[in-house]
Amino acid sequence: MAGLDFAVVGPGRVGLQLARQFINHGGRCLGIRGRNPQRPTEIAPGLRDVVFDTWREPRLRAAPIVFVTVPDRQIADVATDLAASLALDGSVVLHTSGLLTADALGPCREAGATVGSWHPLQTFPPIGAREAVWTDVWCAVEGDPAACELGFEVAHLLGMHPWRIEPEHKAVYHAAAAVAANLSHVLVVLGGQLLQECGLRPEKGPSPLAPLVLASTRNALDARQFENLTGAIARRDHATVRKHLEVLPAPVAAVYRELQSYFEAKAGSGDASREQVTAESCRRHHPTR
Ligand SMILES: NC(=O)c1ccc[n+]([C@@H]2O[C@H](COP(=O)([O-])OP(=O)(O)OC[C@H]3O[C@@H](n4cnc5c(N)ncnc54)[C@H](OP(=O)(O)O)[C@@H]3O)[C@@H](O)[C@H]2O)c1
């Protein structure tokens, strides 16, 4: 890698943790720019000496590596701002959106930078929550050849697994991450709330769901298809599924039904006599739903 000097635009969850991680691996953070001139109140340890919010710093004006870690909807505006504010000729500008491609940084490209998208397949909770792990995280890289090359080098430096994604695959790629990590997150929180309604609400310690959810997630990660799935759907225990559908909030029951149908279709029961708990059969059993 030519040099390890970098700047970050977007002092949020990814930006601050990336800056800290890069510094821990020998990078020199020239500055971090946010939308407002104040330092974030929640600041990652290791970033206390970093300059916040100014392009007036001469060293920042020529950062060789710029990470754009703002929300997706802000990337185009930031790219325009960067092109107008920094000397980008020869710089590499990388954004961290899972969905958008390098083209979102078009103005930086026109100003002489090479541009790319650099997306860690990881979740970054707010600073102060559980710290994000970078080692062995896969990182989807796409864009101009020089930007991709640098994106690979940065990822390797941080102990990640970079891979080249085709721009046309980014929407499906990002949807896959959302289904696996975000939808499951909503369902786990919901499951915890339902358990609380049953009186299971310990004041301290990990969630009572932890052993079940962690084991089930590990089983799912080990699986090629649905061979490790347990529970009423996998057993095709339709009476039990129907009972679940009766007691769940209607929108959750609807999702449950849809996923059950999806499982039946994908797992290919091969047994036409087995009853499927489809929306239709539920309506038969529970006409009010
Ligand atoms: N969080 C994740 O798990 C995760 C994982 C992988 C990739 N990503 C991607 O990483 C990017 C950032 O996500 P995030 O979760 O870190 O978002 P975030 O926590 O909301 O942080 C975004 C930061 O950008 C700042 N910002 C907004 N507009 C700006 C502008 N015009 N100029 C300078 N700074 C600006 C925000 O400031 P304010 O506080 O003033 O709004 C905030 O500090 C997104 O593209 C996201 O898709 C996120």
Side-chain angles (χ1 to χ4, degrees), residues 7-190:
V8 171
V9 186
R13 285 168 278 200
V14 172
L16 293 179
Q17 297 188 60
L18 175 59
R20 182 174 175 222
Q21 194 68 6
F22 206 169
I23 290 168
N24 287 345
H25 286 81
R28 187 168 69 125
C29 187
L30 300 182
I32 297 179
R33 183 178 169 89
R35 196 157 38 178
N36 73 56
Q38 266 90 47
R39 278 167 171 267
T41 45
E42 293 287 338
I43 180 75
L47 295 182
R48 300 195 196 289
D49 300 330
V50 167
V51 173
F52 269 82
D53 187 62
T54 174
W55 295 140
R56 288 189 292 275
E57 287 286 315
R59 59 181 192 163
L60 224 172
R61 289 184 57 80
I65 309 171
V66 181
F67 288 103
V68 176
T69 55
V70 299
D72 291 12
R73 64 183 175 282
Q74 295 285 337
I75 291 176
D77 284 354
V78 166
T80 304
D81 180 37
L82 281 174
S85 315
L86 301 192
L88 287 177
D89 208 12
S91 296
V92 173
V93 184
L94 299 169
H95 73 65
T96 54
S97 166
L99 175 69
L100 300 179
T101 66
D103 289 346
L105 296 170
C108 298
R109 188 187 267 142
E110 282 161 27
T114 52
V115 298
S117 67
W118 189 91
H119 180 260
L121 192 58
Q122 175 59 294
T123 176
F124 297 90
I127 303 288
R130 193 184 289 263
E131 191 156 341
V133 170
W134 292 79
T135 309
D136 284 335
V137 168
W138 289 82
C139 185
V141 184
E142 162 278 333
D144 301 339
C148 289
E149 195 179 319
L150 186 120
F152 267 60
E153 288 178 15
V154 172
H156 281 138
L157 182 75
L158 304 188
M160 304 166 79
H161 303 296
W163 66 289
R164 192 74 181 258
I165 187 168
E166 296 301 326
E168 62 271 25
H169 289 158
K170 285 211 70 173
V172 173
Y173 160 78
H174 197 233
V179 166
N182 305 148
L183 299 191
S184 60
H185 187 126
V186 172
L187 293 175
V188 170
V189 170
L190 175 79

Side-chain angles (χ1 to χ4, degrees), residues 227-252:
E227 70 274 17
N228 291 345
L229 184 68
T230 61
I233 286 181
R235 286 192 297 273
R236 277 123 169 142
D237 184 348
H238 300 303
T240 300
V241 172
R242 270 197 299 278
K243 196 69 199 169
H244 293 167
L245 295 177
E246 267 177 49
V247 298
L248 283 171
V252 184

